[in-house]
Amino acid sequence: GGAKPVPISHTLLGVAGGLRSTIAATGWTEGDLHSSVVLLSRLPPGDALSRLTLLSFLAVPQWREFAAHCARNLQAQLGPLSDRRKELLLAAWLSFALAVLAEPSLRAAADLPFRHLAEDGEAVRRTLPYEASQTVAPLARRLVSSISA
């Protein structure tokens, strides 16, 4: 067998100069922010390094505020994209939100508009082709119940 792939969290946490300062020094565009959410959504759930990585992003005001802005405008931002890209990003945002909400320390640090994200997410989901819409539906349902919890 080949070398085992290095977990994303190891790579991110190993960034020279520290992950938080790198995040803070980055000029985030909408595309970059969506890509970072895709990465964060792929971290293994419940893992200590995943938690640390998520916290590193959430602890940087520039990233957190821009993430909140994107979460509030998800429908407008994902609207013009291809169905495939829309499905990928919507699933990533929903998984990311679920990972944050599942962890009390992250939930407290997040200060993200989860309810708005769920509503916009649902509006985006309804524009997807049936198959894609069904793929994302369980995540959307779990998010709604996590918010109410």
Side-chain angles (χ1 to χ4, degrees), residues 20-139:
R20 280 187 200 188
S21 52
T22 305
I23 296 165
T26 302
W28 292 95
T29 64
E30 282 177 9
D32 295 334
L33 193 112
H34 290 308
S35 297
S36 69
V37 168
V38 170
L39 263 182
L40 294 172
S41 74
R42 292 179 179 162
L43 295 170
D47 172 72
L49 286 176
S50 298
R51 250 195 322 277
L52 194 57
T53 306
L54 283 162
L55 200 54
S56 296
F57 278 83
L58 291 168
V60 177
Q62 301 95 304
W63 188 88
R64 191 180 60 246
E65 285 159 18
F66 197 30
H69 163 79
C70 290
R72 269 193 298 275
N73 298 286
L74 206 60
Q75 197 177 352
Q77 291 184 8
L78 302 191
L81 304 175
S82 72
D83 287 337
R84 185 72 199 99
R85 186 87 185 127
K86 218 185 290 191
E87 179 192 358
L88 172 85
L89 290 178
L90 180 57
W93 272 98
L94 296 173
S95 301
F96 163 72
L98 284 165
V100 171
L101 287 169
E103 197 55 61
S105 62
L106 295 174
R107 193 175 191 149
D111 191 29
L112 292 171
F114 293 109
R115 198 164 257 108
H116 204 113
L117 173 62
E119 287 164 11
D120 256 30
E122 189 49 35
V124 171
R125 190 181 75 77
R126 284 198 290 266
T127 69
L128 290 170
Y130 182 76
E131 283 292 309
S133 165
Q134 293 311 298
T135 309
V136 181
L139 288 171

